[in-house]
Amino acid sequence: MQDLMKFAPYLLMFVVLYFFMIRPQQKRAKNEKEFESSLKVGDKIITKSGFHGKIVELAETSAVIETMSGKLKIERSAISMEMSAALKKA
């Protein structure tokens, strides 16, 4: 019993870390994966670096977007979920 009480603060610290840091990060990663897989040709998007464009071609891990200055090939993971969602609302 006394040994268990020695490890209780560490166990409590791990539980707190899990619920406040690890779990939200896993949930965010899952949402981003779902967002990347739901992209389709014609969607207007904003990349994480700030480029605005429209998807004209999709591959498994990349996308070609059309911007005002031409076409760019980018990784799907470079598309910002939050900024693209804000663009759809506007």
Side-chain angles (χ1 to χ4, degrees):
M1 181 71 174
Q2 194 174 21
D3 290 336
L4 184 63
M5 293 304 282
K6 287 181 184 177
F7 292 109
Y10 297 110
L11 184 62
L12 180 64
M13 188 172 20
F14 176 75
V15 169
V16 168
L17 278 172
Y18 177 77
F19 281 105
F20 286 107
M21 295 180 78
I22 298 170
R23 189 165 179 250
Q25 186 63 30
Q26 289 175 336
K27 187 175 180 182
R28 179 178 171 87
K30 180 183 172 193
N31 287 344
E32 285 187 11
K33 279 282 189 203
E34 289 175 4
F35 171 74
E36 287 175 23
S37 65
S38 72
L39 292 172
K40 56 189 179 300
V41 174
D43 285 351
K44 292 185 178 187
I45 55 99
I46 301 175
T47 65
K48 291 180 180 176
S49 58
F51 291 112
H52 292 239
K54 183 171 75 172
I55 298 176
V56 292
E57 190 179 316
L58 283 172
E60 190 173 321
T61 60
S62 63
V64 175
I65 63 169
E66 186 174 24
T67 64
M68 292 183 74
S69 61
K71 293 182 181 178
L72 300 170
K73 184 174 184 176
I74 60 169
E75 292 296 313
R76 280 186 177 210
S77 60
I79 299 172
S80 172
M81 181 174 67
E82 292 86 13
M83 288 189 274
S84 296
L87 180 66
K88 288 181 182 179
K89 288 181 183 177

